[in-house]
Amino acid sequence: MRFSSRTVGLASAVITVLIWTGFIVIARASASRGLLPLDIALARILGASAVLLPWAWWLMRPARQRGEQVGSLFGLSPLPWGQTVRAGFFGGLLYAVLAYSGFFFAPAAHASVLMPGSLPLWTTLLAWLVLREKIPNSRVLGLGFIVMGDLLVGGVSLLRAFDGGDVWKGDVLFMTAAFCWSAYSVTVRRYGLDAVRATMAITAFAFVFFVPAYALLTFTGVLPTHLTQAPWSEILFQTAFQGVGSVVISGITFTQMVRHFGPVRSTMITALVPGLSALGAVWFLGEPMHWNLLAGLALVTGGILFGVRQAKPVPAAGVKA
């Protein structure tokens, strides 16, 4: 049974938004269920590796049979060594570690504003510095809204740090995680990388460098872990959702969404994530929604939509996610 392009595009958009929203809510809920941040990062990397690394090996098989030198990292990454390291360090390793650590200090509502809301800001600044892209005046206004929204959320928690609060630590981690993902996105754009191959490469990098280090440090007692205490159901769930869902499935559906709707409309669709995840945090986690969060959410979402609506559309075929 074959589905129409419109059906595939709509389904991909729904799946992408649901997974991105669920990532924030579930990661925050997981912070109180036993596993530590690096435990969840390990589950994410192993889940994604179980699918993407065999796929990458099969993808490069014809070239290897022809005797060509292809890929890197012992044949696990389909990209050259330099591109794999640059993309994998930010998008495969640092992003996961920083994001999951942030949820142990700050509520999901803060992540809803600061992570997806900061992406356009960091990406625009890095594209200006690295790719020498000009920033149109309309986008500057949208980025101004985003900065005000981030300050309303992160600034208030920073002021509360003087009273002994730790929420500001999570806010800083969320902002830094967003910077890392933006650095990965700019790397993808700089080298014109294919979305699937780039996802395989960052997963291979994280698998080769994070998993052995994690195993050594936990075995020697240097790094604490709750993997031995957590139920198998929790570990398998995190592996399936954080690894297969957040990395593999959402990566494919996002690419399909861009192919159908184009990059501009796709970005407008993903602008739903901050609001939906904030509502999910209130509904499922019982988090309070203070005035500064509501105002910050409105400013960030408005800034994303305004900046994208004023941007000139780029043909979907030329976009690398």
Side-chain angles (χ1 to χ4, degrees):
M1 182 177 179
R2 296 181 62 86
F3 297 98
S4 67
S5 175
R6 176 179 175 80
T7 301
V8 172
L10 288 173
S12 298
V14 171
I15 293 171
T16 301
V17 170
L18 287 178
I19 291 179
W20 286 16
T21 301
F23 165 78
I24 293 176
V25 176
I26 291 174
R28 173 59 179 175
S30 302
S32 60
R33 297 184 64 175
L35 292 178
L36 298 177
L38 295 186
D39 297 336
I40 302 175
L42 177 73
R44 173 190 177 96
I45 293 168
L46 291 180
S49 298
V51 176
L52 293 176
L53 298 192
W55 187 1
W57 182 268
W58 174 83
L59 189 67
M60 295 182 288
R61 183 184 174 192
R64 286 196 304 270
Q65 291 177 338
R66 293 192 299 267
E68 299 177 8
Q69 294 292 332
V70 60
S72 59
L73 288 181
F74 315 107
L76 297 176
S77 170
L79 299 181
W81 165 254
Q83 296 177 6
T84 298
V85 171
R86 291 184 183 93
F89 180 71
F90 290 105
L93 188 57
L94 279 186
Y95 172 76
V97 172
L98 293 170
Y100 291 128
S101 298
F103 287 106
F104 280 72
F105 295 102
H110 284 224
S112 302
V113 176
L114 297 176
M115 280 209 295
S118 298
L119 282 174
L121 173 64
W122 293 129
T123 304
T124 300
L125 293 176
L126 287 174
W128 173 63
L129 289 171
V130 177
L131 306 179
R132 302 302 180 186
E133 291 186 359
K134 294 183 178 180
I135 306 176
N137 293 332
S138 58
R139 190 178 300 176
V140 171
L141 184 58
L143 293 176
F145 289 151
I146 293 173
V147 171
M148 288 190 292
D150 290 344
L151 288 175
L152 272 176
V153 176
V156 171
S157 64
L158 188 60
L159 291 175
R160 291 174 181 168
F162 295 105
D163 298 327
D166 288 332
V167 175
W168 68 273
K169 297 179 182 178
D171 291 347
V172 171
L173 289 167
F174 291 147
M175 294 283 287
T176 310
F179 173 84
C180 290
W181 192 259
S182 295
Y184 162 68
S185 301
V186 171
T187 301
V188 169
R189 291 167 60 185
R190 181 180 184 182
Y191 294 103
L193 304 181
D194 173 75
V196 174
R197 289 176 180 266
T199 306
M200 291 174 175
I202 66 174
T203 301
F205 180 89
F207 180 81
V208 170
F209 287 94
F210 178 82
V211 175
Y214 174 92
L216 176 63
L217 293 176
T218 54
F219 180 77
T220 56
V222 175
L223 188 70
T225 178
H226 288 176
L227 276 179
T228 56
Q229 307 169 18
W232 275 104
S233 58
E234 174 69 11
I235 297 173
L236 291 175
F237 172 77
Q238 296 293 347
T239 303
F241 181 82
Q242 305 293 351
V244 180
S246 295
V247 179
V248 182
I249 296 178
S250 71
I252 295 173
T253 56
F254 179 78
T255 304
Q256 290 293 336
M257 180 175 67
V258 171
R259 287 177 180 173
H260 179 76
F261 292 106
V264 175
R265 293 174 67 190
S266 296
T267 306
M268 293 177 67
I269 292 171
T270 56
L272 295 170
V273 173
L276 290 177
S277 55
L279 291 175
V282 174
W283 183 265
F284 295 106
L285 305 180
E287 293 185 0
M289 183 60 70
H290 300 295
W291 69 268
N292 63 308
L293 286 174
L294 284 172
L297 187 63
L299 285 168
V300 164
T301 304
I304 294 173
L305 291 175
F306 184 84
V308 171
R309 286 176 63 89
Q310 302 299 322
K312 293 183 178 180
V314 179
V319 173
K320 303 294 183 182

